[in-house]
Amino acid sequence: MTSHTADATLHAPLRLRAWRWLVNDPRAFRIDGPADARRIDWLRAAPFAAIHVACLGVLVTGVSATAVAAAFGFYGLRMFFITGFYHRYFGHRAFRAGRVTQFLMAVLGCTAGQRGPLWWAGHHREHHATSDTPADPHSPAHRGLWYSHTLWFLTRGSFAVPEGRVKDWQRFPELRALERLDWVPFVLFGAGCYALGVWLERAAPGLGTDGPQMLVWGFFVSTVLLYHATYSINSLAHRFGTRRFDTADDSRNNALLAAITLGEGWHNNHHRFPAAARHGVGRREVDATWLGLRALAAVGLIRDLREMPRHVLAGAQSNEGDRP
């Protein structure tokens, strides 16, 4: 992009720039060279920061067992939408689904507030193609732990969809449309949390919750926990843990991270064979996402779940302590 084009984009009417930002128009993501690409875009970082600050609302709304249960319940559900749908389906096509189910999975994934499925899958595929090299978008080995955990997706160069990585998904117009409005399911989910609290206050006052409390705990607190658990795979799972397979990257298996991410912490296994829908291959490697996907397959919503081939399993390290 030339400086003239960049200047024209920068000095476009404010309303036009805001609209482009709102609908993820590619013209809103134009950058002017490598230095601009690495710069934090504070306008886009502001909502991310605001969600964290909103968690302080617990000091105003108080706490109830119902609100805490909702926070962890919505955390678990949306974690599954990310791990099972965004990651294993859109990122790696580890199973098959019909077009309606595919779109529903994309919408549910958007409720996690981690951008659209094409953006998510595109950057993740870029990570696998360049893992722990200087070209990796979020390698802790080259840019540090904090950058790989959070800062990378707040830079101006990260906002655009890596279109060359997701040509297979771009042929679906409904996915392209959803990508433009990926924030809508997220906002609607937040509104739903508030509405649930209002209803519970009237229908079951003994539960001690209300709209504001459910919004803070079920939406804001749940989302922040979900964010950082997900990001830990980019950062911590490339620094801390064991290695079942001798891969060309720094991926690690980490039981604690696997527990909080429904199986994503078996990250070294995943990097050895990314197309597998099952990441926990050892007898003690619990993979809750895999169990959830099997349940969906059992009722016919998805099919053809892929597992790690036997010849790949045969190359596992003998010192892992938990044989496949």
Side-chain angles (χ1 to χ4, degrees):
M1 178 183 178
T2 66
S3 297
H4 175 75
T5 306
D7 290 341
T9 300
L10 181 63
H11 293 98
L14 181 59
R15 284 184 296 179
L16 179 58
R17 289 168 56 198
W19 174 252
R20 290 175 178 174
W21 185 88
L22 195 63
V23 300
N24 288 319
D25 189 314
R27 287 172 291 184
F29 307 139
R30 289 175 175 169
I31 54 177
D32 188 17
D36 189 38
R38 293 190 295 268
R39 183 167 61 87
I40 300 294
D41 190 315
W42 294 107
L43 178 62
R44 280 191 165 263
F48 176 73
I51 290 172
H52 287 70
V53 173
C55 292
L56 295 176
V58 300
L59 301 176
V60 177
T61 66
V63 61
S64 67
T66 302
V68 172
F72 282 101
F74 293 148
Y75 167 91
L77 277 175
R78 292 188 291 162
M79 179 63 77
F80 178 73
F81 299 157
I82 290 294
T83 62
F85 301 160
Y86 266 28
H87 185 198
R88 305 190 194 191
Y89 182 72
F90 289 107
H92 297 289
R93 304 188 73 112
F95 56 91
R96 299 176 65 188
R99 192 163 176 176
V100 173
T101 300
Q102 172 181 286
F103 182 68
L104 178 61
M105 291 192 301
V107 172
L108 291 174
C110 286
T111 65
Q114 297 183 24
R115 300 286 303 275
L118 305 189
W119 182 93
W120 206 103
H123 282 284
H124 187 69
R125 289 175 175 182
E126 184 72 20
H127 162 65
H128 274 272
T130 62
S131 188
D132 290 314
T133 70
D136 187 337
H138 46 66
S139 171
H142 296 277
R143 295 178 177 86
L145 204 64
W146 186 240
Y147 185 92
S148 69
H149 187 76
T150 302
L151 295 181
W152 74 272
F153 61 80
L154 299 177
T155 59
R156 290 184 56 79
S158 73
F159 290 133
V161 173
E163 295 183 352
R165 297 288 183 187
V166 288
K167 291 181 179 179
D168 52 339
W169 297 124
Q170 285 184 318
R171 64 190 181 92
F172 296 100
E174 65 272 20
L175 294 182
R176 296 198 306 271
L178 179 64
E179 197 72 25
R180 287 293 188 96
L181 298 171
D182 60 73
W183 53 272
V184 172
F186 183 56
V187 171
L188 290 177
F189 173 74
C193 287
Y194 183 87
L196 174 63
V198 170
W199 178 77
L200 287 175
E201 183 181 19
R202 297 174 180 175
L207 294 178
T209 192
D210 55 23
Q213 186 183 81
M214 193 62 70
L215 176 65
V216 170
W217 284 94
F219 181 63
F220 291 119
V221 173
S222 175
T223 296
V224 168
L225 292 175
L226 178 65
Y227 279 164
H228 292 287
T230 305
Y231 306 156
S232 70
I233 303 302
N234 294 337
S235 56
L236 302 181
H238 280 257
R239 281 281 184 89
F240 306 104
T242 58
R243 287 172 60 81
R244 179 186 289 281
F245 296 98
D246 184 17
T247 59
D249 51 63
D250 297 330
S251 58
R252 300 287 193 272
N253 285 341
N254 187 302
L256 176 60
L257 296 183
I260 66 174
T261 60
L262 307 186
E264 298 292 283
W266 309 121
H267 200 53
N268 176 247
N269 298 346
H270 170 59
H271 269 262
R272 177 60 184 88
F273 195 79
R278 182 180 184 178
H279 293 183
V281 299
R283 288 174 295 183
R284 290 177 291 180
E285 293 177 355
V286 178
D287 185 351
T289 295
W290 165 250
L291 299 177
L293 293 175
R294 287 187 62 186
L296 293 180
V299 297
L301 291 177
I302 62 176
R303 61 190 186 278
D304 300 337
L305 275 71
R306 301 176 67 180
E307 294 196 54
M308 190 177 291
R310 290 186 178 182
H311 75 273
V312 174
L313 287 172
Q317 300 289 337
S318 60
N319 62 356
E320 180 73 17
D322 183 17
R323 293 179 298 173

